[in-house]
């Protein structure tokens, strides 16, 4: 769904982010019969331990999850939702997110996504056609004739805002990576059956390295709100014991 809104009729395959099997651009000619589930499920997020997190979500997410940074060539901020790589301790067997816990925007965005159309300067609202949340047998229509419904407009607005916030967050992550304040970390966890689990492959901000940065750089980060993000991240690390306790329940 484009911002005007009108959509390209060509289905586009892109490199798949987490949760997405395929991505098509929403097309009123082809997709006018599609409907959205009125009672969304988070079952699609049941088998992942890390959920991408926008920087502006740190304040809400820190009450429930450790917030860490991934390792490797691409560094992202993520909420840790499980001890094992294929578990999400906040999604139950019925696909419901744990009541009272913050649901990351990345989860709330699915099955929609904002995409750039190849060979074009246009952006479009895309969707995963394999998602159980969308299909002809669901409840909420996405089109009224060839016009988008309120549900479609809301999805477009949400995804556009998500992408803008992701770009802002990427600038923050890039800055702390380039400043060299991240350090590799691992957590050794004792499970109820006596087995040991190790959570690794993530990074945290090293407070000593942070304190050695030049004053003018720290002042610049404070003005940008980045120091607040760093301290939210550090405070969130106190959620590890609660996460382990949840895994043992």
């Amino acid at each position: 769904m484009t911002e005007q809104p009108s959509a390209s009729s060509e289905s586009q395959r892109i490199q798949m982010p987490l949760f997405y099997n395929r991505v098509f651009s929403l097309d009123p000619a082809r997709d006018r019969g599609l409907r959205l589930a009125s009672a969304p499920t988070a079952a699609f997020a049941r088998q992942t331990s890390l959920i991408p997190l926008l920087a502006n979500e740190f304040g809400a997410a820190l009450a429930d999850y450790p917030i860490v940074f991934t390792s490797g060539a691409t560094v992202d901020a993520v909420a840790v939702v499980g001890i094992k790589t294929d578990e999400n301790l906040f999604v139950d067997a019925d696909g419901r997110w744990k009541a009272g816990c913050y649901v990351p925007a990345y989860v709330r965005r699915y099955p929609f996504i904002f995409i750039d159309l190849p060979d074009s300067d246009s952006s479009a609202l895309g969707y995963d056609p394999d998602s159980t949340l969308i299909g002809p047998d669901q409840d909420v229509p996405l089109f009224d004739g060839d016009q988008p419904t309120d549900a479609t407009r809301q999805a477009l607005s949400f995804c556009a805002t998500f992408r803008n916030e992701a770009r802002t967050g990427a600038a923050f992550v890039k800055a702390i990576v380039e400043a060299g304040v991240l350090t590799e970390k691992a957590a050794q966890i004792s499970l109820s059956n006596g087995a040991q689990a190790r959570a690794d492959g993530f990074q945290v901000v090293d407070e000593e390295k942070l304190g050695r940065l030049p004053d003018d750089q720290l002042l610049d980060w404070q003005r940008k709100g980045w120091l607040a993000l760093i301290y939210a991240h550090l405070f969130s690390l106190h959620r590890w014991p609660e996460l382990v306790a949840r895994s043992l329940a």
Side-chain angles (χ1 to χ4, degrees):
M1 190 68 209
T2 59
E3 294 182 82
Q4 284 66 37
S6 62
S8 167
S9 61
E10 182 180 0
S11 302
Q12 303 297 341
R13 181 87 182 214
I14 63 173
Q15 185 177 356
M16 293 302 103
L18 178 67
F19 302 147
Y20 297 82
N21 295 308
R22 296 182 293 161
V23 171
F24 289 177
S25 58
L26 195 60
D27 173 15
R30 181 195 62 220
D31 299 325
R32 67 179 58 192
L34 283 183
R35 293 171 172 263
L36 184 67
S38 58
T41 172
F44 59 87
R46 189 184 290 128
Q47 293 182 308
T48 183
S49 61
L50 303 175
I51 303 290
L53 203 63
L54 299 172
N56 69 350
E57 297 183 279
F58 282 24
L62 66 83
D64 299 309
Y65 320 109
I67 301 169
V68 301
F69 300 92
T70 57
S71 299
T74 301
V75 178
D76 296 302
V78 293
V80 184
V81 296
I83 300 299
K84 301 175 184 177
T85 57
D86 61 349
E87 73 174 358
N88 184 338
L89 297 169
F90 294 84
V91 178
D92 66 19
D94 295 322
R96 293 173 299 200
W97 202 273
K98 179 68 175 179
C101 293
Y102 180 74
V103 183
Y106 193 97
V107 173
R108 288 181 278 125
R109 179 183 64 164
Y110 187 79
F112 298 107
I113 188 171
F114 211 48
I115 60 174
D116 293 322
L117 299 176
D119 304 320
S120 171
D121 293 331
S122 299
S123 297
L125 181 63
Y127 70 98
D128 182 353
D130 297 327
S131 172
T132 59
L133 293 172
I134 196 167
D137 299 326
Q138 296 296 349
D139 310 305
V140 182
L142 296 180
F143 291 99
D144 181 4
D146 61 354
Q147 296 300 309
T149 62
D150 286 344
T152 303
R153 292 191 182 94
Q154 290 170 10
L156 175 63
S157 176
F158 187 92
C159 290
T161 299
F162 183 98
R163 186 167 73 167
N164 289 337
E165 293 294 345
R167 288 171 173 169
T168 300
F172 159 67
V173 174
K174 183 175 184 288
I176 62 174
V177 169
E178 292 179 346
V181 298
L182 292 179
T183 186
E184 292 281 339
K185 204 73 173 177
Q188 193 72 27
I189 300 157
S190 298
L191 302 178
S192 57
N193 61 2
Q196 297 290 311
R198 180 180 173 86
D200 54 17
F202 65 89
Q203 303 180 88
V204 301
V205 171
D206 186 312
E207 292 186 76
E208 290 188 9
K209 293 179 179 179
L210 179 67
R212 291 197 294 267
L213 292 180
D215 289 346
D216 59 344
Q217 186 171 10
L218 291 173
L219 180 59
D220 179 58
W221 285 12
Q222 181 182 14
R223 288 171 174 167
K224 291 176 177 176
W226 291 354
L227 284 185
L229 295 177
I230 289 172
Y231 288 120
H233 147 67
L234 292 172
F235 186 82
S236 79
L237 300 180
H238 294 290
R239 301 280 81 81
W240 276 109
E242 297 172 21
L243 190 68
V244 173
R246 187 180 294 273
S247 74
L248 301 178

